[in-house]
Amino acid sequence: MASHPQDEVQNHSLSDPESFWAEQASHLTWHKKPTKTLTKVEKSLKSGVKHDHWEWFEGGEISTCYNCVDRHVLAGNGDQTAIIWDSPVTKTKQKYTYKQVLDEVEVFAGVLRDEGVKKGDVVLIYMPMIPAALIGILAISRLGAIHAVVFGGFAPASLAQRIEASKPVAILTASCGIDGTKPPMAYKPYITEAIDISSHKPSKTIIWQRDELRWDNVDKLNGHRNWQRLVRSGRARGLKADCVPVKSSDGVYIIYTSGTTGLPKGVLREAGGHAVGLHLSISYLMGIHGPGDVMFCASDIGWVVGHSYILYAPLLTGAATILFEGKPVGTPNAGTFWRILEEYKVSSLFTAPTALRAIRRDDPENKMFKEIGERGGLKNLQALFLAGERSEPSIITMYQDLLKSYCAKDAKVIDNWWSSESGSPISGIALVPHAGKDRKTTERSVETLGIKPGSAGKAMPGFDVRIVDDSGKEVEKGKMGNIVMAMPLAPTGFRTLWQDEERFYKGYIKRFEGKWIDTGDAGMIDNDGYIHVMSRSDDIINVAAHRFSTGSIEQAISSHPTIAECCVVGVPDALKGHLPFAFITLSTASHPTPAIPSPELMSEVQKLVRTQIGAIASLGGMIQGKGMIPKTRSGKTLRRVLRELVENAVHEEFDKEVQVPATVEDAAVVEVARKKIEEYFKEKGGDLHKATEGRAKL
């Protein structure tokens, strides 16, 4: 049987990475062409440790801003749409052509240079989803400086940590952010408190004044500047900055990923590999090739997904990108995404499963999707991409049916898996696999690989994914283990942490003695080579010496037709160590108020778990409620928080404080969960759940 083009591309990328990535690099403009594609080296740390390492595109010099903006204008595509801003929270819509983006970026880069920003400096960005944020990022890149985006609305203490860690010369911010239907939130108190408590003081804070809520008394003596005024003055003086090329191995941005312990880790993305890897992925994986294509990535610029697929990849390829300031529900309703797909003829949509669950909760029968679909409004949609957390099969099959009925021919739901560290998807199903062989191939001339609901597809070019046991030995196909990657990582992958080589080694390489890079995820690769990411390594529940991933149990539970969302954690058990414990939200319009579900529902769910996984995985308990499953702003479920609350409840410590990360979307959700857990344990749990310490008394 002939192999599939996706498998052929993958084999080429791993067997001959030099020729594969040299070809991909040739599609971009280099100020100085690389002398070598891949260099393998040994790195020596101050501690005396040595480990294998690598570098991409040695000797090359590139400007990411030039490749995103200037080259499209010079190629005659200046009148093509680059950025579409759609902000239901301010009732504003705006379009920018590549020519307009170039004009804005070169003037603002001139302003930043005037304010003292130079090549290699760090500029921190704390902004809402407005065009100025993208203009600001591109202007920083234009000067050869490095940006560090912190999600707008992060608490001052977390912001201060990131200021201290990255030592920015300036902060770009706005007067306010708008979170869904909540009133505008002033950024001034966040920024001023963060700078107060940080030992590093940036010399400039440049503020984009929004009409919804202004930053009063811009304090010039303390380095505060009015963004719009600076630009007006810069224009009047004819201020413009040209692109400053940087080395391939120079940083383009730092993105902070919250470590499970201690300070956040600053993942450093390097200019050469970042541009080459993203330019391939948007065409190969996502079917976005250039002018006329429209990408809608419903993420935030604070997350790696937003960096890669709101800003950089669409502009690298010359397509249009949608910058969305709103929510999947409530701004104004659960049909907002579908309205955008129709209005802008979107080719690919990228979102998190959590957004689709929220839509399903508000519109369980998909009436809004069908209404637009029936008038032909969704015919341009080629694919729905899901990432950020595991996508349960029930969501994938539901949307696959909808896409088949209403969207482009052969439209697909594609689950893909990646991280801040990888910079682009590690696995997925390529929509246009031939684009990995020939960049000019933009037609979907070949059927994609089959979709397996519950799997995150196959490895993407340059990522060599393996499953190993705790000693680092590879396990056979179909067996659960630690998901690791061989070196080198694909070009978008990180090679270090910002100014912390030792932590990079300890956090990612040391565990398997320099042989593998540890992803921190657990899962398996099946006989067909599909990757199944079941949980974080620390989300494995040990039931009487049997290891179960939370993901597989959640998959069984969410196959129940009335369950919109679920989360599984381990509850301490005197006999078996731990038992799976579920939190569920129903998809009914009027959610029942008791925390304890009906005996019928409990019995139906238990049956699903027993049938799909086995009796040993039976639930120890289940709590129902609306708005009680805490998540990060990027859509990841905070299982650890629920696990802590449950463990405290077993010891009757219902009010004990739990560690809630700064990335939480809504801290109030944690308190809803706390009350539900207390209600459940006071009514039912006391005798049912005994702490593991109870074993000694048996």
Side-chain angles (χ1 to χ4, degrees), residues 240-524:
K240 281 182 179 186
D242 284 335
C243 290
V244 177
V246 298
K247 286 186 199 153
S248 293
S249 57
D250 284 344
V252 67
Y253 70 77
I254 304 162
I255 187 162
Y256 285 93
T257 172
S258 44
T260 40
T261 55
L263 294 169
K265 300 182 292 246
V267 167
L268 182 68
R269 190 80 56 232
E270 293 175 358
H274 170 250
V276 174
L278 284 183
H279 189 243
L280 167 66
S281 74
I282 190 120
S283 179
Y284 172 79
L285 176 67
M286 298 186 180
I288 301 282
H289 311 287
D293 289 335
V294 182
M295 178 82 202
F296 176 23
C297 175
S299 178
D300 187 281
I301 54 162
W303 310 125
V304 69
V305 171
H307 281 60
S308 296
Y309 296 105
I310 294 175
L311 176 60
Y312 285 118
L315 298 192
L316 280 166
T317 204
T321 185
I322 291 173
L323 181 71
F324 172 64
E325 190 183 27
K327 295 275 188 187
V329 295
T331 61
N333 56 36
T336 298
F337 279 8
W338 322 137
R339 187 263 304 164
I340 287 174
L341 296 185
E342 178 179 38
E343 196 168 323
Y344 305 114
K345 299 185 167 49
V346 170
S347 326
S348 283
L349 166 63
F350 192 152
T351 188
T354 192
L356 298 186
R357 289 188 206 114
I359 291 168
R360 181 168 69 175
R361 195 183 57 222
D362 282 20
D363 183 13
E365 288 164 24
N366 298 304
K367 285 179 183 164
M368 292 175 175
F369 190 103
K370 289 171 181 170
E371 187 186 318
I372 294 177
E374 274 157 11
R375 61 172 179 253
L378 304 173
K379 282 290 176 219
N380 288 83
L381 189 71
Q382 302 269 339
L384 164 59
F385 291 90
L386 298 176
E389 57 171 330
R390 197 160 181 279
S391 308
E392 64 273 23
S394 59
I395 273 260
I396 289 182
T397 48
M398 179 174 91
Y399 276 96
Q400 189 56 69
D401 289 344
L402 288 167
L403 263 61
K404 194 175 174 183
S405 302
Y406 301 107
C407 300
K409 186 176 177 286
D410 294 330
K412 292 279 189 288
V413 179
I414 297 177
D415 191 4
N416 58 112
W417 162 65
W418 50 312
S419 62
S420 300
E421 289 86 348
S422 72
S424 67
I426 299 167
S427 73
I429 299 292
L431 206 59
V432 188
H434 274 295
K437 297 177 170 192
D438 175 9
R439 178 79 196 181
K440 295 182 186 71
T441 303
T442 58
E443 291 303 310
R444 288 179 60 185
S445 53
V446 63
E447 179 58 33
T448 63
L449 283 170
I451 303 291
K452 284 192 185 187
S455 142
K458 287 189 174 187
M460 286 286 109
F463 288 112
D464 186 354
V465 182
R466 317 280 182 97
I467 309 292
V468 300
D469 62 19
D470 288 343
S471 64
K473 191 165 166 282
E474 283 192 71
V475 303
E476 68 245 35
K477 291 265 165 52
K479 198 169 174 210
M480 276 278 291
N482 304 292
I483 309 180
V484 297
M485 290 186 283
M487 290 180 259
L489 297 183
T492 57
F494 75 146
R495 295 192 312 125
T496 189
L497 294 174
W498 174 248
Q499 298 179 341
D500 204 341
E501 298 276 3
E502 293 282 348
R503 192 173 179 190
F504 172 74
Y505 170 74
K506 285 178 183 159
Y508 299 94
I509 296 179
K510 187 180 177 185
R511 182 180 173 199
F512 296 114
E513 294 166 358
K515 189 169 182 195
W516 310 111
I517 287 188
D518 185 15
T519 66
D521 282 308
M524 61 134 178

Side-chain angles (χ1 to χ4, degrees), residues 12-13 15-26 37-38 56 436:
H12 182 188
S13 79
S15 62
D16 188 1
E18 286 88 348
S19 73
F20 182 84
W21 292 109
E23 163 67 22
Q24 302 308 327
S26 72
T37 300
L38 173 62
W56 288 107

Side-chain angles (χ1 to χ4, degrees), residues 518-550:
D518 185 15
T519 66
D521 282 308
M524 61 134 178
I525 296 177
D526 67 21
N527 289 325
D528 299 320
Y530 284 70
I531 297 166
H532 299 253
V533 185
M534 302 312 287
S535 57
R536 294 295 292 168
S537 300
D538 55 3
D539 281 333
I540 297 284
I541 301 173
N542 209 321
V543 182
H546 292 264
R547 285 158 64 86
F548 294 103
S549 75
T550 51

Side-chain angles (χ1 to χ4, degrees), residues 126 152-154 175-179 182-188 190 213:
Y126 184 87
F154 248 34
S175 54
C176 68
I178 304 165
D179 186 17
K182 297 173 192 166
M185 178 176 77
Y187 281 175
K188 184 178 181 178
Y190 288 77
L213 182 64

